Amino acid sequence: MTTSGFLRRDFASAALSMFAGIVGLALTAGMAQSQTPTWPTRPIRLVLPFAPGGPTDVVARMTAQILQEGLGQAAIVENRPGAGGATGVRSVAQAEPDGYTILMGSVATLASVPAVQKNAGFDPNKSFAHVVRLTTSSTLLIVPVSLPVNTVADFVAYAKANPGKLNFASAGYGNQTHLNVELFKAKTGIGLTHVPYKSGAEMVTALLANDVQLTFSDISVILPLVEDKRVKALAVASEQRTPLLPDLPTAIEAGVPDFTTGFWTGLSVPAGTPAAIVNRINKVVVEGLNAPNVRAALIKMGSTPSPTTPEEYTDFVAAEVVKWDNLVKQAGIKLD
């Protein structure tokens, strides 16, 4: 089986676990419905700026189920990839602010894309009313099993002893996987040559073949290969260790100061959407994410439910925008 096939199989398994965990949610989420709702009166579109498949798509479909059961109307996931995610995000920014079009945003689309693309066509802070953060997930620093390093300190020393000889992979120039390594380089002072690929699967395949010597990958994608000892994980790039790999140190514990990066998702609606609608979506989603079976299913696939208030998510997005915009300027990354 190819690596991409292996990863797709893992996503499918995670999706089945996810939807199994949602069974029985209707009673919990249904409590959030008002007795005589004036909104919604027709189906809701949940726009995901990525192609179908993968962990983000699974979370989107789980969220659509929560919305549907909590609001009493169909919620339909609409995959709108293109321009690194900008196409789908822009479509929501330009939609009517009536609560019937919701963005499934992420660090990639709300922070990285506007930092890298000069004319993304939206402002992550001004074009939306941010509703709720959904999930956070850990990112792993991974290297080939053949590389003679076992810790982050080993890798940094090896890179400094072999200048110009080590490559890192990303899923595309300006992609979040690219920015993760640029942040790592900035924090450690090492030099690595960038080799961009067309997808995360190609990126991992290159690492398995030792064509590249480092990359960062979401734990929900790479965990099976780590457990099968087909790649080595040197650290998790989160503030705390992951329960899925409790013996794996954080990058900060491994000696990289103030280094955290991870994948997060959340819901946003067009700016000007009535506060009553924003608050109602927030209430339904928070109740759904806090359901024990949903939490368990998400954690099993490597994502942590991390619901917030609209105000908390707004502040969180703003801070992420500043963080990645500063890095992009420092590294001189830009797309025409």
Side-chain angles (χ1 to χ4, degrees):
M1 178 178 290
T2 65
T3 300
S4 59
F6 181 92
L7 296 177
R8 283 196 298 271
R9 181 193 66 186
D10 185 54
F11 293 157
S13 176
L16 289 173
S17 297
M18 177 69 69
F19 287 116
I22 292 172
V23 173
L25 179 61
L27 290 178
T28 300
M31 294 173 63
Q33 298 184 50
S34 62
Q35 293 181 345
T36 56
T38 57
W39 172 91
T41 59
R42 55 186 171 87
I44 294 167
R45 290 189 306 134
L46 179 58
V47 177
L48 175 64
F50 298 115
T56 307
D57 191 62
V58 173
V59 175
R61 295 179 191 283
M62 174 272 294
T63 303
Q65 183 77 8
I66 290 174
L67 289 170
Q68 181 167 307
E69 294 182 347
L71 297 173
Q73 280 288 342
I76 302 167
V77 175
E78 181 179 309
N79 297 90
R80 295 201 65 177
T87 300
V89 178
R90 192 162 50 239
S91 73
V92 177
Q94 297 170 351
E96 290 295 322
D98 54 12
Y100 290 100
T101 305
I102 302 175
L103 172 68
M104 170 80 166
S106 67
V107 60
T109 54
L110 288 177
S112 300
V113 166
V116 173
Q117 297 185 24
K118 185 177 181 180
N119 298 306
F122 63 90
D123 184 314
N125 294 317
K126 297 179 181 179
S127 299
F128 304 99
H130 298 301
V131 180
V132 61
R133 187 175 62 191
L134 297 172
T135 62
T136 57
S137 59
S138 300
T139 300
L140 302 186
L141 188 166
I142 57 172
V143 300
V145 292
S146 59
L147 201 69
V149 302
N150 293 303
T151 67
V152 173
D154 288 346
F155 183 88
V156 172
Y158 187 76
K160 290 182 177 179
N162 294 275
K165 297 181 180 180
L166 301 186
N167 302 323
F168 77 89
S170 78
Y173 184 85
N175 180 277
Q176 186 62 39
T177 52
H178 177 194
L179 301 191
N180 288 341
V181 182
E182 292 294 347
L183 182 62
F184 181 70
K185 288 168 57 182
K187 295 291 185 181
T188 58
I190 62 174
L192 301 169
T193 300
H194 182 205
V195 182
Y197 291 88
K198 294 181 180 180
S199 69
E202 288 186 10
M203 174 185 81
V204 173
T205 299
L207 187 122
L208 287 168
N210 201 28
D211 293 334
V212 296
Q213 288 70 51
L214 177 140
T215 195
F216 282 84
S217 181
D218 190 277
I219 192 171
S220 62
V221 175
I222 205 66
L223 182 61
L225 296 181
V226 174
E227 293 177 332
D228 288 348
K229 300 187 185 305
R230 296 178 63 189
V231 299
K232 284 193 284 191
L234 302 186
V236 58
S238 51
E239 293 183 356
Q240 298 179 341
R241 296 190 181 197
T242 170
L244 297 178
L245 294 169
D247 294 330
L248 186 68
T250 67
I252 294 174
E253 290 175 331
V256 186
D258 194 32
F259 182 83
T260 59
T261 181
F263 196 82
W264 50 262
T265 62
L267 300 184
S268 304
V269 291
T273 300
I277 292 177
V278 170
N279 291 333
R280 188 161 176 222
I281 296 172
N282 179 276
K283 182 179 180 181
V284 165
V285 171
V286 169
E287 289 186 2
L289 289 177
N290 284 334
N293 49 0
V294 174
R295 288 189 61 84
L298 280 167
I299 291 171
K300 185 176 181 180
M301 65 172 284
S303 295
T304 302
S306 307
T308 62
T309 65
E311 295 77 17
E312 289 169 340
Y313 186 44
T314 298
D315 291 344
F316 176 80
V317 171
E320 287 286 283
V321 168
V322 170
K323 172 182 176 178
W324 294 109
D325 188 61
N326 287 343
L327 174 70
V328 165
K329 289 177 180 176
Q330 177 183 340
I333 301 169
K334 61 181 179 179
L335 294 176
D336 295 331

